[in-house]
């Protein structure tokens, strides 16, 4: 009997009061026969576990029995329990380790896990699209966790990477990795055509900060996409809703260029846009709360759209 499985079984019974052999087998990914043998071994070791027959039966611990295998204080466990990401952990092949950790946390919390999970939940994927798990995510994840060199096909050529960390952004997986040049870069996991985790390990830079790197890389990427600039007057309402209507980096960069408000409270900003086509539709979101000053071709196009919109809402416009 594996010690880790014995602890998991014991903590499952402690946190859920009673479980059938089938339920335990499903949680531990073993057969019901293995569960029966493990329960017998625990009983022989002095753990007060017993079987209760009948429709509502199952395996139970004697009332009042609690193990203190966790070493966690209750406030620490409450915080850690909120960090669970069952879907992504399963995708990375870490479901077993996650179960063991959550059970240990649950043992320290008593009945509090249910309260915690009813109050906080992270839904990582974006709206309106399914989040597909990249087929090579398991291999990439293993390389990250074990600090092993990852060799794989990416962008039409073979690469040797030192993978430092994984990021799940709006349902899309990225790996932050150092290439032969020594420069850190981000790679979309679903674009790997092959991934091999060898025996070679790499020395991780102890100063590397994954959240800090990702925040900076995200800003740099967003700015690299914002190739065009438009001068726009914004009303106080538009300024207040800028962060809602635009991508965060574009909104922040635009506000940084704002001049002093005029007599009506309007300000002039330099608005970065990915392209004139995308900029056109972004400006239309503001309706009458924005005026394009430059370039002329964008101003003319928005003006024409405004005239057509006004015609649609004219009082004498025919209705269906």
């Amino acid at each position: 009997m594996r010690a880790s499985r014995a602890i998991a079984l014991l903590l499952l019974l402690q946190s859920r009061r009673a479980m059938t052999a089938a339920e335990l087998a499903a949680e531990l990914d073993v057969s019901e026969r293995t569960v029966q043998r493990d329960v017998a071994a625990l009983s022989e070791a002095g753990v007060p576990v017993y079987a209760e027959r009948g429709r509502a039966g199952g395996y139970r611990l004697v009332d009042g029995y609690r193990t203190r295998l966790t070493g966690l204080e209750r406030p620490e466990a409450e915080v850690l329990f909120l960090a669970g990401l069952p879907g992504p952990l399963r995708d990375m092949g870490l479901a077993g380790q996650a179960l063991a950790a959550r059970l240990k946390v649950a043992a320290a919390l008593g009945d509090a896990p249910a309260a915690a999970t009813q109050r906080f939940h992270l839904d990582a994927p974006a709206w309106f699209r399914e989040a597909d798990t990249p087929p090579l995510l398991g291999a990439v994840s293993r390389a990250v966790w074990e600090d092993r060199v990852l060799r794989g096909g990416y962008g039409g050529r073979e690469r040797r990477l030192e993978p430092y960390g994984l990021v799940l952004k709006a349902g899309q997986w990225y790996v932050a990795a150092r290439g032969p040049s020594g420069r850190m870069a981000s790679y979309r996991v679903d674009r790997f055509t092959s991934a091999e985790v060898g025996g070679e390990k790499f020395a991780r830079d102890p100063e590397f900060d994954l959240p800090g790197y990702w925040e900076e890389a995200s800003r740099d990427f967003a700015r690299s996409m914002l190739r065009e600039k438009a001068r726009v007057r914004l009303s106080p309402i538009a300024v207040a809703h800028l962060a809602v209507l635009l991508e965060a980096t574009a909104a922040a960069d635009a506000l940084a260029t704002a001049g002093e408000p005029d007599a009506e409270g309007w300000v002039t900003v330099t608005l970065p846009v990915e392209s004139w086509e995308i900029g056109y539709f972004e400006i239309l979101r503001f309706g009458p709360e924005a005026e394009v000053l430059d370039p002329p071709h964008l101003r003319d196009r928005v003006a024409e759209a405004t005239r057509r919109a006004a015609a649609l809402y004219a009082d004498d416009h025919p209705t269906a």
Side-chain angles (χ1 to χ4, degrees), residues 242-271:
L242 202 64
V244 177
L245 296 170
L246 296 178
E247 189 274 331
T249 300
D253 287 357
L255 287 176
T257 67
E260 290 296 321
D262 61 18
E264 298 177 337
W266 287 55
V267 296
T268 299
V269 302
T270 299
L271 179 66

Side-chain angles (χ1 to χ4, degrees), residues 40-314:
L42 283 173
S43 182
E44 291 175 5
V47 176
V49 57
Y50 65 96
E52 194 172 63
R53 300 186 181 279
R55 178 175 297 180
Y59 292 109
R60 293 176 177 270
L61 291 172
V62 170
D63 289 345
Y65 177 83
R66 294 190 68 81
T67 181
R68 300 298 300 175
L69 293 171
T70 67
L72 290 172
E73 298 297 327
R74 183 182 180 90
E76 299 170 330
E78 288 175 337
V79 174
L80 288 175
F81 202 88
L82 300 178
L85 297 171
L89 288 170
R90 181 180 61 249
D91 294 342
M92 289 188 290
L94 299 173
Q97 295 93 319
L99 172 62
R102 288 171 68 84
L103 288 172
K104 290 180 181 180
V105 174
L109 283 174
D111 295 332
T117 54
Q118 290 302 318
R119 287 169 171 78
F120 300 94
H121 175 65
L122 174 62
D123 185 9
W127 286 101
F128 308 122
R129 72 182 183 90
E130 295 293 331
D132 296 326
T133 302
L136 297 175
L137 177 60
V140 176
S141 172
R142 188 165 66 255
V144 169
W145 281 103
E146 298 176 4
D147 293 340
R148 296 190 181 276
V149 169
L150 178 70
R151 287 183 168 81
Y154 191 94
R157 62 189 180 92
E158 289 297 311
R159 298 175 185 261
R160 179 193 180 277
L161 302 173
E162 297 177 357
Y164 271 61
L166 282 165
V167 175
L168 179 60
K169 169 70 171 178
Q172 191 69 251
W173 286 95
Y174 298 85
V175 58
R178 198 182 300 280
S181 66
R183 187 176 68 87
M184 190 68 69
S186 303
Y187 302 84
R188 273 182 52 164
V189 177
D190 64 347
R191 292 182 179 172
F192 279 90
T193 56
S194 63
E196 178 184 347
V197 184
E200 182 184 359
K201 302 196 73 171
F202 64 90
R204 174 181 287 268
D205 180 358
E207 301 297 321
F208 178 72
D209 172 41
L210 180 60
Y213 160 78
W214 181 255
E215 182 178 357
E216 183 178 354
S218 298
R219 286 197 302 265
D220 290 346
F221 175 75
R223 287 196 174 100
S224 72
M225 298 291 289
L226 302 173
R227 303 182 180 91
E228 309 294 350
K229 301 289 189 294
R231 285 182 64 245
V232 181
R233 288 182 69 236
L234 300 175
S235 73
I237 293 176
V239 171
H241 292 83
L242 202 64
V244 177
L245 296 170
L246 296 178
E247 189 274 331
T249 300
D253 287 357
L255 287 176
T257 67
E260 290 296 321
D262 61 18
E264 298 177 337
W266 287 55
V267 296
T268 299
V269 302
T270 299
L271 179 66
V273 295
E274 185 173 341
S275 68
W276 295 126
E277 184 70 15
I278 293 176
Y280 165 72
F281 286 104
E282 287 184 337
I283 294 295
L284 290 182
R285 293 177 182 175
F286 291 90
E289 307 302 329
E291 177 192 3
V292 177
L293 301 177
D294 193 63
H297 66 82
L298 181 61
R299 178 181 175 88
D300 292 344
R301 189 175 180 188
V302 172
E304 173 60 21
T306 302
R307 285 190 290 270
R308 288 191 287 117
L312 289 175
Y313 291 95

